[in-house]
Amino acid sequence: MSTSGPSAAPTPLHIAGEPPAPPAPDVIGTSGGPGRRPAPTVRPGALDWAALGVEPRWKDQETGDCAAVLSPFLGPATGLEPYKRYAAGARQRGETALVVACTGAGERSHNVFSGTVAPGIHLPDRYGSISANPLPADVSPELADGLDHAEHDLGTRLLNRPPDTWFRLTYRKESGSSRPGVARMWPPPGEGELRPILVDGLGDPVAGVWMPAGGGARWFVVPHGTDQRLLVEWLVQHALPAYVPGALIRARSTLVRDPAFATEAEARLVETLAEEQRVHERRQTELQQQLAELRAVADPLRDGLLFGTGHPLEDAVHDVLVAAGATVTRLDDVYGTKSADLLAEYGGRRVLVEVKSANQRPPHSLPDKLLKHLNTWPGLTGTEPVDGGVLVVNHQIKLQPVQRDAEVYTDRAFADALTVPVISSARLFDWWRREDWDAMRHAVFGDTRATQPPEIAVPDADPKAPARPGLLSRLRR
């Protein structure tokens, strides 16, 4: 999309590094007949700067009036003339020095203190540097909290079109020495902050923006390999309007206009759009909070039913039966190992639930453990008769769930001879995630349709909500 209006001039942008090689000279007569030259075209892989509304300025061209710096491979050399003239021009105009620097390109080194380190970013003056430690190839970054609109857009673009490699970014301040006999650094080291835009699973930044104390500059640090078109589009369409609007005003760009000259209708519509954006962001925050609450409930159950053993598996089975509306008692707390793990009650039926796990295919002896508990149950103190029992097994744990057998016992003759129902915990999980409570209750309790009790009230349920509690409310009981 062209970002230039009818009377707009292209926005000057300093591209740190060598200009691209010129195209091969045309050979007369190779296209279109004698003496004709082909129409100029954009070479494959090259940017159409005019269509982007940008005038690229390279190392031997004037940079003092540039709107920003794009450094596709490493941070710009702040001690050389192109960057110094750019920074001086931004300072003279009272504008933010805006830099987009790609990090991590080049030869890597290794030491016992920092591990593997790729080429990082050297910041201006005495502000130090930003180091880059390569991360595993399967890292899946996420957006950091508290981003402004331009930062959020950059982070989203990086997620949609990621580079091949991510790096953990670390801001390393240059330090003066206070040791006796060592001269103090003057001027003293500067203070700054690296704010994350994208973080890895450990919360470390993999893309961020560095700002010196007191403002005046924004260095956006992204991994090398990021598409240059993506970065130029983001600079022109989002970063410059947000941080350096004066550059676009000078170019008479349609992307930014002085609000003092807006018509009343334009001003009203701008405010309406801003309010729509605020409403959207509030709604998105609410939905993200709801999703976080659901995942806080679902994650331990999902993990317990699919990969759990021992007490975590028992707890997960307990919770999904409660979610299905059953009353469940932990028998280990009452009888220890003399009884089954759980007593579940629903619709006037009471069953013992024995919970087991197996790394591979389960042994045929597991149902005998439930049968033993059913035989000894009447002799335990304070027990009431039960209507049967059910064996829940988390089997083939060492395999991914999609690779496991659908049934706990695949020996058809053995399975047909079983006198108690045997259910895989993965099957319980599938019923639970789909909220298919009828299927779960029928598998555990048998046919209870004739004696179903009324719906149990949920203390924290919304009185205006439907009578049937949802998944989250069921699990909170």
Side-chain angles (χ1 to χ4, degrees), residues 14-17 69-78 99-107 118-122 130 132 167 219-225:
H14 174 43
I15 313 298
V69 175
L70 172 61
S71 184
F73 299 105
L74 294 173
T78 58
V99 175
V100 177
C102 297
T103 188
E107 186 176 350
I121 302 295
H122 291 282
I130 296 174
F167 301 87
W219 282 52
F220 288 88
V221 183
V222 300
H224 80 87

Side-chain angles (χ1 to χ4, degrees), residues 111-137:
N111 63 64
V112 295
F113 300 104
S114 303
T116 302
V117 180
I121 302 295
H122 291 282
L123 298 169
D125 301 324
R126 298 188 180 274
Y127 283 104
S129 63
I130 296 174
S131 67
N133 294 87
L135 291 173

Side-chain angles (χ1 to χ4, degrees), residues 319-382:
D319 289 345
V320 296
L321 292 178
V322 170
T327 301
V328 185
T329 303
R330 301 176 192 271
L331 295 178
D332 286 350
D333 298 339
V334 181
Y335 299 110
T337 58
K338 297 179 181 179
S339 172
D341 298 305
L342 305 170
L343 173 65
E345 304 176 62
Y346 182 85
R349 294 182 63 83
R350 307 170 75 246
V351 298
L352 296 181
V353 182
E354 180 72 359
V355 182
K356 295 294 181 182
S357 61
N359 287 333
Q360 304 297 338
R361 286 190 173 91
H364 288 183
S365 60
L366 291 186
D368 294 338
K369 299 181 183 299
L370 174 60
L371 293 173
K372 176 183 176 182
H373 291 314
L374 287 171
N375 289 331
T376 58
W377 176 256
L380 298 178
T381 304

Side-chain angles (χ1 to χ4, degrees), residues 212-237:
R218 286 177 182 260
W219 282 52
F220 288 88
V221 183
V222 300
H224 80 87
T226 303
D227 182 23
Q228 286 192 54
R229 181 184 300 276
L230 177 153
L231 295 176
V232 173
E233 288 177 347
W234 174 77
L235 267 171
V236 175
Q237 297 173 13

Side-chain angles (χ1 to χ4, degrees), residues 258-310:
D258 191 333
F261 301 111
T263 65
E264 290 292 331
E266 287 176 316
R268 286 195 299 270
L269 191 53
V270 166
E271 179 54 34
T272 300
L273 287 171
E275 178 58 27
E276 289 287 337
Q277 180 67 27
R278 289 191 290 268
V279 170
H280 169 73
E281 290 175 354
R282 286 197 297 268
R283 178 58 176 160
Q284 190 174 52
T285 299
E286 292 172 359
L287 292 175
Q288 288 174 343
Q289 180 61 33
Q290 292 177 21
L291 180 60
E293 292 176 358
L294 286 173
R295 284 175 172 169
V297 172
D299 283 345
L301 286 178
R302 186 164 30 235
D303 186 70
L305 290 172
L306 296 179
F307 302 100
T309 62

